[in-house]
Amino acid sequence: MITFISRLKLTKIWLFLPYNLRNLIKNFLGYSPYPDFKKLKISLKKTKADQQKNFHFGTIVGSHRASNLLDSSLAKYLVDRGHSVSVLICDENLPACLNSSIWKSKKKDRLENTLSESPKKQNLCKVCFKNSEELWKSTNAKIYKISDLLTKADHKEINEKIKKLKLLGDVFYKEISLKEDIIAGCLRYLCLGDENKISEELYERYAISSLRICFCYEKILSIESVDTGVWVHGIYVPHGILNKIFKKKQINFYNYNTSYRENRFYFTKNDTYHKILPSESFEQLSLDCFTESELNQAKEYLVSREKGSQDWQQFNNEPLKDSLKELKKIGFKEDKKDLAVLFTNVVWDARLHFKENLYDDMVDWIKDTVDFFKTSARKKLIIRVHPGELISHSVSREKVADLDFLQNLPENIILVPPESKISSYFLASISKLNLVYATKMSMELCLYDAPIICCGDAWVKGKNATIDPSSKKEFLEILNLENWASLNNKMNKKNGLSYSHYIFEKKPIYFPYFKVAQDRKSFSVDLSNYEKVYLSKESVLNFMERKLTNKEEIINS
């Protein structure tokens, strides 16, 4: 216990140091968070695969730990099985990327919402590239580097395109529109949700990076006859650009991300999970086929999410046991007024455009909701701001509490700030109507009595577990109803539990060789466990090879 506490204290001191200083220390000490697969003591020679395929990993960003760990662990196995495996890594050649963050930039950049220096000049690239290159060499995969692929003529052509570029203007590469992911990348960098805050310099940097990726893949795909590609996210720069290139070329690919449950990843085929998961229907997923035992398993897991005991990361640390007492301190009154609770998500996260959404973004939705309650004193509203505003990997610079229309609220509207330890689960339990846009909390809400209204791209949308208004008018009519409980006749919470079992148990793939750090903020590859999995005849590596080879949906049977 003393050792654990000491490590936690050291972790806090380490995280207090400036990012660049931490990088310099890591470089000096020769530290790498990545495994050396050459250290494996594997004596059994792998049987070569019957169908030898060509796989490409679009890892690119060396500092993105989750993707480098998962990609390389799969690549090592696939190489040893006789497949052709390649990867693209950035060797200090992108003027902006997934490693860029406003919190790593100059204070002046925050004032001007820009990126005045490239990642290389910020000393972000050296450790990023070095660690990634060493990792990938140990897999024996074929390594492509950006600098080796781009010629002076390529750079000249890209620069000519950029000279004609207007702020937030269209960016095309051979009829492929790159604009959406450039904007998403800029907003992720800024930790803001308003694209009008993007500076010209910042937009140009992400546009240049996007075009460089396009030029690189034009060459890689002319050399490699790729059967299947694999990379993280499928949005932002560079990985959203890869999606568009592979779609245009009609090459099969998979996107993935860490699941909420520990040691698990979920995969989607030929598009980002941000778009596929909300669009999957109740009928497509056969959500009426799960057993009572499986639904009870889903319930147990959803309850555990309040404390995050089975998760990679926990947002609401140590929620209060007596949340009502704290809620009263900020103005809540126990009365007969019907209570609605609105659950936000982080404003800037995964900013993509969904044609099906009623609102342009979450902020517009919150404003419409608040405007209604300002003129409906017989009802009351609690706005629960997502704790991830403060404790995600990139602290949001656009705070819901700072929105102009949330100042000087009437007494029937209460805002619970992100730092509050008031339990969101408690709020759901006292609510008469739960309102969501894109938060994953929508699945936990299925445990409670109140109807759920979804106005955004929450994954549970369209699964017959929520009411999804088809217009703003319909949404406001719902808010104006005298009896919100009657809405439960139009939805089935059991479907929400079925979907929870699907998304938390059936969809994610378990990788036993990942080891979660004690502070639960990172993970690594345990080589001894990896070796056991590698040598097993029926393992997750064997499973993944089969799915990738046959181009099947990656899901547990």
Side-chain angles (χ1 to χ4, degrees):
M1 178 60 75
I2 295 173
T3 303
F4 174 67
I5 292 171
S6 299
R7 285 182 179 176
L8 282 180
K9 288 180 178 178
L10 285 172
T11 298
K12 288 182 178 180
I13 294 170
W14 174 253
L15 293 175
F16 182 75
L17 297 175
Y19 187 86
N20 288 346
L21 178 58
R22 280 183 271 156
N23 260 354
L24 289 172
I25 294 171
K26 287 177 184 177
N27 188 49
F28 177 76
L29 296 175
Y31 167 79
S32 173
Y34 301 142
D36 180 357
F37 289 106
K38 290 179 181 176
K39 292 181 179 179
L40 288 171
K41 300 174 182 177
I42 297 171
S43 56
L44 177 66
K45 289 185 178 180
K46 300 300 294 183
T47 304
K48 297 299 181 183
D50 294 332
Q51 301 180 61
Q52 293 184 5
K53 298 291 184 179
N54 188 312
F55 298 109
H56 178 79
F57 289 89
T59 313
I60 303 175
V61 182
S63 63
H64 194 277
R65 187 176 297 194
S67 59
N68 277 272
L69 291 176
L70 180 63
D71 292 356
S72 64
S73 68
L74 293 175
K76 167 62 180 171
Y77 184 82
L78 293 171
V79 167
D80 288 359
R81 288 279 286 153
H83 298 286
S84 295
V85 180
S86 61
V87 63
L88 175 66
I89 58 176
C90 176
D91 52 345
E92 309 181 36
N93 266 277
L94 292 179
C97 68
L98 209 63
N99 192 18
S100 302
S101 169
I102 195 74
W103 299 112
K104 299 174 187 176
S105 298
K106 295 178 178 179
K107 289 183 180 179
K108 183 184 176 185
D109 286 355
R110 292 175 212 164
L111 295 173
E112 299 176 1
N113 291 324
T114 194
L115 176 56
S116 59
E117 292 182 333
S118 68
K120 186 173 183 177
K121 285 189 177 179
Q122 290 178 306
N123 294 318
L124 301 180
C125 292
K126 193 171 184 179
V127 171
C128 177
F129 169 54
K130 178 185 174 184
N131 288 343
S132 183
E133 184 182 35
E134 289 177 354
L135 166 68
W136 281 96
K137 281 181 178 178
S138 75
T139 68
N140 292 321
K142 184 176 181 180
I143 299 172
Y144 287 96
K145 301 173 190 175
I146 292 176
S147 66
D148 293 338
L149 293 166
L150 296 181
T151 65
K152 288 182 180 180
D154 294 331
H155 286 293
K156 184 178 179 180
E157 186 176 342
I158 290 169
N159 291 337
E160 288 300 317
K161 285 178 177 285
I162 296 301
K163 284 178 183 178
K164 302 172 186 176
L165 180 64
K166 294 180 180 179
L167 179 59
L168 303 184
D170 289 327
V171 182
F172 285 94
Y173 177 78
K174 295 189 176 180
E175 300 180 349
I176 301 173
S177 176
L178 311 177
K179 179 179 175 180
E180 180 183 42
D181 289 293
I182 293 171
I183 289 176
C186 289
L187 294 177
R188 185 183 190 277
Y189 164 82
L190 290 172
C191 299
L192 293 174
D194 184 359
E195 62 188 48
N196 294 311
K197 299 284 181 67
I198 297 171
S199 71
E200 187 173 344
E201 182 178 28
L202 180 62
Y203 194 70
E204 284 185 2
R205 284 187 177 277
Y206 276 95
I208 292 169
S209 292
S210 299
L211 288 167
R212 287 184 183 178
I213 292 299
C214 289
F215 276 68
C216 284
Y217 273 92
E218 191 67 39
K219 296 180 181 182
I220 290 173
L221 296 177
S222 69
I223 299 168
E224 302 287 343
S225 299
V226 175
D227 293 299
T228 292
V230 181
W231 52 84
V232 75
H233 290 318
I235 59 172
Y236 307 125
V237 176
H239 300 106
I241 307 303
L242 268 65
N243 274 32
K244 290 176 169 58
I245 294 168
F246 273 61
K247 281 182 182 180
K248 183 71 174 177
K249 300 279 189 181
Q250 297 184 322
I251 302 173
N252 185 67
F253 67 89
Y254 294 89
N255 295 146
Y256 66 84
N257 201 7
T258 51
S259 170
Y260 285 80
R261 295 196 67 182
E262 196 170 274
N263 283 61
R264 290 167 172 82
F265 289 77
Y266 47 76
F267 297 79
T268 50
K269 188 170 181 275
N270 294 330
D271 209 345
T272 174
Y273 50 89
H274 290 289
K275 291 187 175 180
I276 283 185
L277 297 181
S279 67
E280 292 176 321
S281 68
F282 174 85
E283 291 76 18
Q284 282 177 306
L285 302 179
S286 302
L287 294 180
D288 54 353
C289 294
F290 290 108
T291 66
E292 284 301 317
S293 174
E294 288 171 329
L295 296 185
N296 287 331
Q297 187 179 12
K299 284 182 184 178
E300 289 174 9
Y301 171 66
L302 291 175
V303 170
S304 80
R305 277 178 58 77
E306 182 173 17
K307 295 183 178 180
S309 58
Q310 299 182 48
D311 296 340
W312 293 100
Q313 185 178 11
Q314 174 16 20
F315 283 116
N316 192 8
N317 294 315
E318 300 177 3
L320 294 170
K321 291 182 179 179
D322 189 356
S323 290
L324 179 59
K325 182 179 178 181
E326 191 66 23
L327 194 58
K328 287 180 177 179
K329 288 181 182 179
I330 57 175
F332 180 76
K333 296 178 182 178
E334 292 185 277
D335 53 34
K336 294 183 179 180
K337 291 181 180 180
D338 286 338
L339 170 66
V341 179
L342 182 154
F343 297 90
T344 76
N345 41 278
V346 179
V347 175
W348 61 262
D349 193 20
R351 279 294 305 276
L352 299 175
H353 295 291
F354 294 82
K355 293 178 182 179
E356 303 82 6
N357 284 359
L358 305 184
Y359 293 90
D360 289 338
D361 55 41
M362 183 187 71
V363 172
D364 286 344
W365 167 67
I366 296 173
K367 186 177 187 306
D368 245 18
T369 307
V370 168
D371 285 347
F372 171 85
F373 281 91
K374 282 181 177 179
T375 59
S376 303
R378 59 193 173 83
K379 299 174 185 282
K380 56 188 179 182
L381 174 70
I382 292 176
I383 301 171
R384 190 4 164 166
V385 181
H386 198 302
E389 273 197 359
L390 299 180
I391 59 176
S392 66
H393 62 279
S394 295
V395 177
S396 180
R397 295 169 64 229
E398 187 169 355
K399 311 285 197 251
V400 167
D402 293 338
L403 295 171
D404 291 341
F405 59 84
L406 292 181
Q407 310 311 307
N408 303 312
L409 293 170
E411 66 176 13
N412 69 318
I413 303 177
I414 293 172
L415 188 139
V416 178
E419 67 272 15
S420 173
K421 292 187 179 293
I422 292 173
S423 169
S424 296
Y425 296 76
F426 167 74
L427 296 178
S429 72
I430 64 172
S431 176
K432 299 290 185 182
L433 185 70
N434 288 318
L435 309 174
V436 299
Y437 192 79
T439 177
K440 309 305 181 292
M441 178 72 186
S442 51
M443 283 174 274
E444 285 97 303
L445 296 178
C446 293
L447 294 169
Y448 301 96
D449 295 332
I452 307 164
I453 312 300
C454 177
C455 291
D457 48 284
W459 293 353
V460 75
K461 180 181 180 179
K463 313 301 187 289
N464 296 340
T466 60
I467 293 175
D468 311 324
S470 58
S471 67
K472 295 179 183 180
K473 181 175 179 288
E474 183 185 352
F475 173 56
L476 295 175
E477 287 173 350
I478 288 172
L479 296 182
N480 200 38
L481 286 174
E482 290 294 331
N483 180 20
W484 286 333
S486 64
L487 295 167
N488 277 321
N489 296 325
K490 299 180 179 181
M491 54 185 285
N492 187 346
K493 297 283 184 63
K494 187 176 180 180
N495 295 338
L497 294 176
S498 296
Y499 184 67
S500 297
H501 186 273
Y502 167 79
I503 205 67
F504 291 125
E505 191 67 36
K506 188 173 182 180
K507 184 71 173 171
I509 308 303
Y510 180 69
F511 291 82
Y513 52 79
F514 289 121
K515 183 179 179 182
V516 182
Q518 287 183 316
D519 63 2
R520 303 184 73 80
K521 294 185 184 295
S522 62
F523 60 95
S524 58
V525 169
D526 184 321
L527 280 178
S528 61
N529 280 338
Y530 179 82
E531 186 172 322
K532 292 175 185 176
V533 174
Y534 181 104
L535 294 173
S536 174
K537 291 183 179 179
E538 287 298 326
S539 70
V540 68
L541 292 173
N542 180 268
F543 169 86
M544 287 297 297
E545 180 195 21
R546 189 166 62 249
K547 293 291 185 181
L548 294 173
T549 297
N550 296 328
K551 300 181 181 179
E552 299 172 351
E553 293 290 345
I554 299 177
I555 188 170
N556 292 301
S557 56

